[in-house]
């Protein structure tokens, strides 16, 4: 594709034009909405249950429906952006998101509300990888892309944090406002996107669409996410859960076999031969999984044990969100100087310490001594880790495969969030801490093992990152596979990027392919 930065003098490339800033802000708005929608519904669930007379099982699916659509279709969404054109996919999905938001705020039925949430998750599964790949193909690899990605991913983290605050405020009026708020914002973003987002190239020489891979890959992800979400209620060792995991594994095996033979795979498996790419994917799962589980425990602790209101609970998370927002324009420069492995490792270290400090909680609220230090450490960790993981995953990847890699990364994030939240929930409920006769101290004691698991997940993320520190900062370590064979998915690959700071585009070029404008 032709980037807005192409054929521009180097001195001019250092300054972003108003149009380029506008493009980035539109993409940030969409990512902010995706993250906002994940977290904002949580505080509103009690009001929704009372208004629509929903059972606990039905209420769970208001959250899980979004996760199922989002996590299950990300691989398909990422590849669709590459094949159909990123601009087209982004605009259509954003319009669907706006309509589904409006519909969700007007319905008077639990099943219809769940359906609207699933459709919103589905649309986010297309906007997220399309938006990320638009950034990585518009901004030149190196300091410019790192800066853009740091702003973009920080908006996502801010949206997730601010969702709690906004939900606490809006729920005081009506839970419907938490559903309706994204609709006008999405429509405004759509209007600007039509004018600002550049037309992108689409691949017209891939030999057709990988329909068998799309079917098996999507079915595998949907079943895997569904099984993980349902496992705590059905039982991890139940026949239903085990058979579901077995079926998901069988679909994944079929998917891999299909991708190895497909001339135009949904996911080119050769990209996973890179240690840096694998570390980014696993790190993303550990990072988001630990934070989602932590947030779940903390909201329960603050509301059920401390007796805080939804708004008070939301405000307790505010320092972390503010810290993330204020650091948005700084992280790119830090990555340029130190490289992604060092920044990610530092962030995971802060994350582990922050979670460990929260183990000191008691039945008496100690905000200044316990809660605030943890939130500040976690906020700093989010600011460092999330942008760096996105940079590491997308550096060195050919433009035609940016959507695929973006889909992989977002899939890792969503599956990691669903899986580790389910595991943490199972640990908390294993001791029947929420039984009818449990004392407040027993409930608190039930939370502690869950917090310990959260810290261990973050520690695992740190350990996954450490191998990337072994090489010199300036050495090329083969972080990403960019070359591809014309007849097999992994017959040829060339390590050209690194975990180290990047000063410009990766060396080497990929074979030219025919492209069309969308």
């Amino acid at each position: 594709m032709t980037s807005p930065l192409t054929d521009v003098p180097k001195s001019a490339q250092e300054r972003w034009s108003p149009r380029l800033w506008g493009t980035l802000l539109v993409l940030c708005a969409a990512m902010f909405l995706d993250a906002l929608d994940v977290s904002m519904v949580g505080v509103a669930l009690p009001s929704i249950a009372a208004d629509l007379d929903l059972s606990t099982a039905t209420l769970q699916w208001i959250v899980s429906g979004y996760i199922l659509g989002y996590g299950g279709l990300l691989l398909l969404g990422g590849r669709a952006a590459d094949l159909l054109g990123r601009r087209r996919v982004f605009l259509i999905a954003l319009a669907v998101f706006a309509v589904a938001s409006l519909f969700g705020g007007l319905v008077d039925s639990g099943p219809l509300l769940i359906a609207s949430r699933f459709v919103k998750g589905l649309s986010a599964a297309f906007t997220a990888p399309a938006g990320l790949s638009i950034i990585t193909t518009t901004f030149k690899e190196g300091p410019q892309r790192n800066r853009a990605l740091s702003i973009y991913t920080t908006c996502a983290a801010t949206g997730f944090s601010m969702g709690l605050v906004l939900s606490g405020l809006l729920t005081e009026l009506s839970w419907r406002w938490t559903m309706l708020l994204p609709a006008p914002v999405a429509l405004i973003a759509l209007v600007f996107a039509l004018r600002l987002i550049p037309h992108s190239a689409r691949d017209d020489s891939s030999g057709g669409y990988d329909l068998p891979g799309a079917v098996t890959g999507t079915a595998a992800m949907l079943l895997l996410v569904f099984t993980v979400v349902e496992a705590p209620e059905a039982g991890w060792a139940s026949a239903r859960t085990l058979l579901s995991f077995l079926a998901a594994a069988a679909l994944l095996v079929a998917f891999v076999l299909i991708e190895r033979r497909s001339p135009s795979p949904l996911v080119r498996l050769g990209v996973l031969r890179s240690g840096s790419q694998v570390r980014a994917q696993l790190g993303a799962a550990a990072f988001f999984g630990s934070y989602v589980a932590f947030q779940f425990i903390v909201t329960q602790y603050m509301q059920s044990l401390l007796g805080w209101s939804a708004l008070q609970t939301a405000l307790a998370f505010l320092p972390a969100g503010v810290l993330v927002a204020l650091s948005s324009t700084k992280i790119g420069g830090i990555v340029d100087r130190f490289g992604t492995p060092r920044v990610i490792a530092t962030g995971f270290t802060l994350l582990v310490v922050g979670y460990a400090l929260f183990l000191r909680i008691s039945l008496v609220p100690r905000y200044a001594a316990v809660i605030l230090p943890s939130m500040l450490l976690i906020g700093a960790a989010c600011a460092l880790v999330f942008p760096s993981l996105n940079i590491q995953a997308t550096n060195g990847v050919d433009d035609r495969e940016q959507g695929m890699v973006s889909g992989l990364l977002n899939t890792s994030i969503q599956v990691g969030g669903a899986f580790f939240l389910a595991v943490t929930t199972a640990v908390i409920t294993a001791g029947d801490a929420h039984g009818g006769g449990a004392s407040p101290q027993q409930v608190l004691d039930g939370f502690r093992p869950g917090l310990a698991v959260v810290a261990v997940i973050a520690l695992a993320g740190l350990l996954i990152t450490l191998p990337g520190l072994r090489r010199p900062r300036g050495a090329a370590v083969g972080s990403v596979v960019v070359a591809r064979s014309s007849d097999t998915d992994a017959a040829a690959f060339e390590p050209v990027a690194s975990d180290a700071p990047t000063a410009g585009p990766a060396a080497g070029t990929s074979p030219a392919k025919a492209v069309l404008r969308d």
Side-chain angles (χ1 to χ4, degrees):
M1 91 174 238
T2 302
S3 165
L5 295 174
T6 303
D7 299 327
V8 178
K10 185 175 181 180
S11 59
Q13 291 182 24
E14 301 300 325
R15 300 185 302 272
W16 292 354
S17 66
R19 182 183 181 87
L20 202 57
W21 270 111
T23 300
L24 179 60
L25 291 177
V26 166
L27 298 172
C28 286
M31 190 70 251
F32 182 87
L33 285 176
D34 290 348
L36 188 76
D37 217 61
V38 172
S39 63
M40 194 162 58
V41 72
V43 178
L45 289 177
S47 297
I48 295 173
D51 192 20
L52 301 183
D53 193 24
L54 302 180
S55 66
T56 302
T58 303
L59 198 65
Q60 174 198 351
W61 276 103
I62 294 175
V63 177
S64 301
Y66 188 93
I67 295 174
L68 185 63
Y70 198 176
L73 294 167
L74 274 164
L75 289 180
L76 182 60
R79 193 57 180 147
D82 289 332
L83 295 175
L84 302 177
R86 300 175 187 95
R87 182 178 187 272
R88 175 185 289 115
V89 169
F90 180 84
L91 293 175
I92 294 174
L94 186 59
V96 172
F97 186 92
V99 173
S101 297
L102 181 63
F103 181 75
L106 300 177
V107 298
D108 285 311
S109 163
L112 289 178
L113 181 56
I114 293 170
S116 73
R117 295 284 298 169
F118 177 80
V119 173
K120 288 180 75 173
L122 182 151
S123 62
F126 287 82
T127 58
L132 181 57
S133 59
I134 288 171
I135 288 178
T136 55
T137 55
T138 300
F139 293 87
K140 184 178 67 175
E141 184 174 320
Q144 292 195 19
R145 183 189 292 179
N146 293 350
R147 183 188 181 196
L149 285 175
S150 69
I151 296 172
Y152 178 74
T153 53
T154 302
C155 283
T158 303
F160 194 83
S161 300
M162 296 301 292
L164 288 171
V165 179
L166 289 174
S167 182
L169 292 170
L170 293 174
T171 304
E172 296 292 329
L173 301 174
S174 170
W175 64 267
R176 294 184 182 278
W177 285 107
T178 65
M179 303 293 168
L180 290 170
L181 176 66
V185 180
L187 287 174
I188 293 171
L190 181 61
V191 170
F192 282 97
L194 286 167
R195 295 179 58 86
L196 294 172
I197 293 182
H199 288 269
S200 58
R202 60 186 176 96
D203 190 349
D204 193 48
S205 61
S206 59
Y209 295 97
D210 180 20
L211 292 179
V215 172
T216 55
T218 301
M221 288 297 101
L222 284 171
L223 184 57
L224 179 60
V225 174
F226 175 83
T227 304
V228 167
V229 168
E230 286 286 283
E233 182 178 346
W236 287 91
S238 67
R240 170 183 162 183
T241 299
L242 295 177
L243 288 174
S244 293
F245 273 127
L246 183 62
L251 286 169
L252 285 172
V253 170
F255 173 71
V256 170
L257 294 176
I258 291 170
E259 298 307 279
R260 288 176 63 86
R261 292 168 173 79
S262 174
S264 55
L266 188 70
V267 176
R268 188 171 63 83
L269 301 179
V271 76
L272 296 177
R273 294 189 180 189
S274 160
S276 176
Q277 184 67 234
V278 172
R279 286 192 294 274
Q281 302 293 338
L282 295 178
F287 164 72
F288 192 67
S290 68
Y291 183 75
V292 169
F294 173 78
Q295 187 183 75
F296 175 79
I297 295 173
V298 172
T299 53
Q300 297 296 313
Y301 162 71
M302 291 178 177
Q303 294 188 50
S304 65
L305 290 184
L306 300 185
W308 290 5
S309 67
L311 183 57
Q312 287 175 309
T313 301
L315 292 175
F317 283 89
L318 186 59
V322 170
L323 188 59
V324 170
L326 292 177
S327 64
S328 62
T329 60
K330 308 295 183 183
I331 303 304
I334 295 174
V335 171
D336 293 337
R337 180 174 181 181
F338 297 103
T340 54
R342 289 171 174 79
V343 178
I344 294 171
T346 301
F348 268 118
T349 300
L350 296 177
L351 205 60
V352 172
V353 175
Y355 293 153
L357 285 178
F358 211 84
L359 284 166
R360 300 184 301 149
I361 58 173
S362 65
L363 295 176
V364 178
R366 294 189 293 165
Y367 186 79
V370 177
I371 298 176
L372 181 59
S374 294
M375 292 299 176
L376 291 175
L377 286 170
I378 292 167
C382 291
L384 292 172
V385 174
F386 197 35
S388 302
L389 287 170
N390 279 266
I391 292 169
Q392 181 164 310
T394 56
N395 270 358
V397 177
D398 188 85
D399 281 2
R400 293 161 298 184
E401 296 186 327
Q402 286 290 342
M404 177 195 71
V405 172
S406 301
L408 273 175
L409 185 67
N410 281 282
T411 298
S412 297
I413 290 171
Q414 294 304 317
V415 172
F419 179 77
F420 289 121
L421 175 59
V423 169
T424 305
T425 302
V427 169
I428 293 173
T429 58
D432 292 326
H434 294 287
S439 67
Q441 185 61 49
Q442 288 174 318
V443 174
L444 179 63
D445 292 340
F447 286 150
R448 293 189 192 280
L451 289 170
V453 169
V454 167
V456 170
I457 296 170
L459 179 61
L462 174 61
L463 297 177
I464 289 168
T465 302
L466 293 181
L469 301 176
R470 294 176 181 173
R471 296 179 183 269
R473 276 176 49 199
V477 297
S479 67
V480 188
V481 180
V482 296
R484 57 187 296 179
S485 170
S486 60
D487 54 358
T488 65
D489 85 302
F493 61 95
E494 178 185 3
V496 300
S498 74
D499 287 332
T502 54
T509 57
S510 300
K513 302 180 78 175
V515 296
L516 295 177
R517 290 290 184 190
D518 66 353

